[in-house]
Amino acid sequence: MREQHVLLLCLFVSYASITKSRYFDEGDECKLEHKGNYSKFPEDFSFGVSTAAYQVEGAWNEDGKGPSNWDTYTHLHPERIDDHSNGDEAAESYHRFDQDLVALKELKVNFYRFSISWPRVLPFADTRVQNQKAIDHYNMMIDKLLENNIEPMVTMFHHDMPEELTKFGGFTNDIVIKYFHYYADFLFKTFGDRVKKWITFNEPFVYCIPAYGNAVFPPMIHAPGVADYLCMDNTLKAHASAYRLYKAKYSNYQKGKVGMAISSRFYYTNTTDFGSEDIVDRAMQYSFGWFAHPIYGESGNYPFTVIEDITSNSMKEGLAWSRLRPLSLYWSKIVKGSGDFLGLNYYSSHFARMAEPPEGEIPSWEHDSRLKLLVDKTWKRAKSDWLYCVPQGLEDILKWIRDKYNNIEVYITENGWSDEGKLDDTDRIDYLKSHLQAVLNAINDGCKVTYYSYWSLIDNFEWNRGYTERFGLYYLNVTSENKERVAKNSASYYRSVIESRKLS
Ligand SMILES: *[C@@H]1O[C@H](CO)[C@@H](O)[C@H](O)[C@H]1NC(C)=O
Ligand SMILES: *[C@@H]1O[C@H](CO)[C@@H](O)[C@H](O)[C@H]1NC(C)=O
Ligand SMILES: *[C@@H]1O[C@H](CO)[C@@H](O)[C@H](O)[C@H]1NC(C)=O
């Protein structure tokens, strides 16, 4: 999925009257100019599309699948989904993979990023019951993709957690590290002979804060600044533990790569703000850096600013410990370097400034970070209220990664645009084109970006937004019996880019 607007109240400020930030060019009309010597994507650059199990599969209780947190939540709380829909049927991809495959072949993508449903393969979360029908299903998918020269890129966790685990705390209980370790072992053993690209977790920031901070995702826990941080800590350790397992047991002969998909915006600030560079860095550390810094940074720990602020706030609040414990030496060694590539989900950017005094509940991410995040009124907005077209932000975040993390190889695991689902989707084409331009500019500037995945192949169940926001290159006809996937104009645009390897 993509970023959810959950963190902060976005204030709408007109920047028309003030000088543009020094980081930002005039005329940000969802366009980006070409920079650099190469107008073509490198020969070995891979283009793909993404989906996630709960958002497309349907068949929520078929063939031995166990319930997930999202099954339970959408069934108990239909009122929380804008159109009262759920993922019970979705695009029926569990039964209609052939239709997805037709679309994938039409697009001529080089890879397909999809997720395996943990409760489908291991209905009780642990390995006591291994669901053979589910194993057969994913084997079929992987084999058919390979037969068609489409590389499978598999996300191991994309928000659908076995309900079993939710019963004892889900991501706030550190036993999840062990559960995930054995789930990962099972996946590597079962599918690793053919799957060579593994994404452990999809954008933890975007499920931890809504699920355990502000209670808008299952299991609807409201404990900001505490339970959401525990979730992120346990996710980071579970990721690293699975990575080490792969290195120790599988990588010698399977020769695949393992990483995490981290979501982030890029941040800009106002030229006239005092210490504005620090603000951009602070905003990056408080979002992207929360996961990227421990894995790809030098210290093998959370960003220094984040540790320092939260420790000091915890003391002020009268706690005897910090709500964000730094990683121990033991964990630091496991976490540091635990990524063969960096998966990036980029959708949009923000302006940031310091909130004086800090806003938000005490405690909370908003209060700890002391950031106030804003958007520029000139940015074009999608159907999603958090999604503005800022292609320059993608170019800039890629350069930031190049400079801060030793030019680690980057896979853009998600990037996409929402509307209400029209077939003549000019805005999506503009978004796609300008963001691919950003990738090309970054490559021209020495960034090591090798994979780009558009979110999404088809319109799908967009979490709390149901089917009201659609990101697909293919329209999903939910009302029709055969759930046709109908190509939007953006599908043929993307195919032409993939075929020619350049932007027109
Ligand atoms: C582009 O090509 C010119 C001429 O060959 C060269 O001087 C310059 O460094 C190149 N720029 C980049 C960004 O590769
Ligand atoms: C930008 O700078 C101006 C002038 O100092 C200030 O009034 C305004 O609030 C700033 N905006 C943001 C978002 O920081
Ligand atoms: C969706 O399906 C319905 C019922 O089969 C049909 O009337 C409609 O034209 C379809 N819409 C699109 C865009 O194909």
Side-chain angles (χ1 to χ4, degrees):
M1 85 128 231
R2 353 78 333 111
E3 268 180 88
Q4 180 94 1
H5 166 70
V6 285
L7 294 179
L8 299 173
L9 195 67
C10 284
L11 295 185
F12 293 76
V13 169
S14 171
Y15 286 87
S17 56
I18 58 170
T19 333
K20 283 282 176 184
S21 146
R22 70 181 167 294
Y23 294 106
F24 214 81
D25 296 333
E26 288 290 342
D28 21 314
E29 283 281 296
C30 207
K31 277 193 204 129
L32 195 65
E33 269 178 34
H34 178 80
K35 294 168 215 138
N37 289 346
Y38 301 101
S39 58
K40 272 194 155 186
F41 286 88
E43 279 310 314
D44 54 0
F45 187 86
S46 285
F47 294 96
V49 283
S50 300
T51 59
Y54 184 74
Q55 295 176 274
V56 298
E57 280 185 354
W60 77 279
N61 60 354
E62 293 177 42
D63 290 351
K65 177 181 169 293
S68 77
N69 54 347
W70 272 89
D71 293 318
T72 311
Y73 167 74
T74 54
H75 294 159
L76 284 174
H77 296 286
E79 79 286 354
R80 286 179 165 258
I81 313 300
D82 287 356
D83 55 6
H84 296 195
S85 64
N86 56 45
D88 289 3
E89 291 181 11
E92 293 181 2
S93 287
Y94 182 73
H95 296 299
R96 297 178 182 279
F97 176 67
D98 283 343
Q99 283 170 247
D100 292 341
L101 188 61
V102 168
L104 292 164
K105 285 162 70 174
E106 225 167 57
L107 288 170
K108 298 194 191 297
V109 288
N110 308 111
F111 73 102
Y112 180 40
R113 174 179 176 240
F114 63 95
S115 81
I116 288 181
S117 161
W118 185 352
R120 191 180 294 286
V121 288
L122 306 179
F124 299 100
D126 59 43
T127 47
R128 278 172 301 161
V129 178
Q130 306 184 7
N131 181 5
Q132 191 57 47
K133 283 188 171 163
I135 296 170
D136 293 345
H137 169 74
Y138 293 116
N139 274 332
M140 175 278 290
M141 275 181 76
I142 292 164
D143 291 343
K144 283 192 180 170
L145 289 169
L146 289 171
E147 273 165 32
N148 287 285
N149 247 330
I150 300 169
E151 182 183 17
M153 180 185 282
V154 172
T155 311
M156 297 153 72
F157 180 84
H158 200 126
H159 299 205
D160 52 341
M161 172 173 255
E163 186 60 17
E164 282 297 306
L165 280 175
T166 304
K167 289 181 188 165
F168 45 92
F171 277 108
T172 59
N173 184 339
D174 64 8
I175 202 164
V176 73
I177 303 167
K178 194 178 280 184
Y179 274 80
F180 187 78
H181 182 97
Y182 284 97
Y183 168 52
D185 195 17
F186 159 81
L187 294 180
F188 297 148
K189 186 172 62 202
T190 312
F191 305 112
D193 55 334
R194 290 150 295 148
V195 173
K196 305 299 171 191
K197 300 287 157 35
W198 294 101
I199 313 279
T200 52
F201 289 94
N202 183 65
E203 45 185 38
F205 207 84
V206 175
Y207 60 76
C208 287
I209 293 196
Y212 300 98
N214 45 26
V216 298
F217 273 9
M220 298 192 289
I221 304 297
H222 182 260
V226 182
D228 43 4
Y229 295 179
L230 283 175
C231 170
M232 299 205 268
D233 193 61
N234 289 325
T235 298
L236 181 64
K237 290 169 178 168
H239 154 82
S241 161
Y243 178 86
R244 296 299 164 200
L245 166 74
Y246 190 78
K247 288 284 144 180
K249 200 166 159 188
Y250 296 98
S251 70
N252 268 353
Y253 68 100
Q254 292 191 349
K255 301 191 188 310
K257 291 185 177 186
V258 181
M260 183 196 266
I262 305 173
S263 61
S264 188
R265 291 175 163 86
F266 193 68
Y267 298 90
Y268 294 96
T269 195
N270 197 330
T271 32
T272 53
D273 276 350
F274 174 71
S276 52
E277 282 193 10
D278 293 347
I279 293 174
V280 170
D281 192 66
R282 178 181 191 78
M284 285 299 286
Q285 298 304 351
Y286 261 94
S287 50
F288 190 65
W290 201 294
F291 289 92
H293 200 78
I295 301 175
Y296 307 100
E298 285 304 314
S299 72
N301 222 316
Y302 292 113
F304 183 70
T305 324
V306 174
I307 295 177
E308 201 182 39
D309 289 350
I310 297 174
T311 303
S312 128
N313 287 348
S314 301
M315 299 305 121
K316 275 188 224 153
E317 289 150 19
L319 270 177
W321 60 87
S322 175
R323 289 179 281 100
L324 183 76
R325 272 198 302 183
L327 297 174
S328 64
L329 198 58
Y330 171 82
W331 275 110
S332 180
K333 278 190 184 152
I334 295 172
V335 169
K336 187 178 171 183
S338 63
D340 297 317
F341 58 85
L342 189 158
L344 172 68
N345 289 3
Y346 174 87
Y347 286 89
S348 199
S349 286
H350 264 146
F351 270 80
R353 66 173 150 110
M354 297 302 288
E356 304 291 357
E359 297 179 357
E361 286 179 60
I362 302 176
S364 66
W365 182 91
E366 197 179 350
H367 193 265
D368 286 330
S369 71
R370 285 183 287 144
L371 290 165
K372 194 171 184 72
L373 303 182
L374 313 109
V375 297
D376 187 316
K377 259 199 173 163
T378 66
W379 292 346
K380 186 160 93 179
R381 209 197 93 178
K383 180 88 191 334
S384 310
D385 62 3
W386 53 269
L387 175 48
Y388 292 80
C389 181
V390 195
Q392 185 65 50
L394 178 55
E395 184 178 329
D396 291 339
I397 197 172
L398 289 169
K399 290 179 187 169
W400 198 87
I401 294 168
R402 175 195 65 194
D403 298 343
K404 300 275 177 181
Y405 303 128
N406 203 19
N407 208 9
I408 178 90
E409 183 176 8
V410 176
Y411 300 172
I412 295 169
T413 36
E414 287 182 30
N415 175 240
W417 183 257
S418 64
D419 59 20
E420 65 285 357
K422 53 183 181 252
L423 298 181
D424 180 8
D425 55 343
T426 318
D427 291 344
R428 178 166 294 104
I429 295 176
D430 290 346
Y431 184 91
L432 189 52
K433 183 175 176 178
S434 58
H435 286 77
L436 285 169
Q437 186 65 64
V439 176
L440 192 54
N441 289 352
I443 291 174
N444 268 317
D445 215 354
C447 299
K448 206 191 289 171
V449 190
T450 52
Y451 283 74
Y452 170 89
S453 182
Y454 178 79
W455 178 275
S456 171
L457 171 64
I458 33 177
D459 293 340
N460 53 56
F461 177 77
E462 189 49 41
W463 311 112
N464 287 350
R465 304 285 80 81
Y467 296 98
T468 64
E469 292 176 8
R470 289 159 173 263
F471 284 81
L473 296 172
Y474 283 77
Y475 173 79
L476 169 69
N477 200 334
V478 251
T479 54
S480 101
E481 206 183 319
N482 295 322
K483 301 267 195 264
E484 287 96 1
R485 285 83 163 116
V486 186
K488 302 178 187 176
N489 290 348
S490 56
S492 50
Y493 174 74
Y494 194 35
R495 185 186 54 226
S496 76
V497 172
I498 297 172
E499 277 181 328
S500 64
R501 312 193 77 75
K502 60 182 202 200
L503 302 167
S504 51

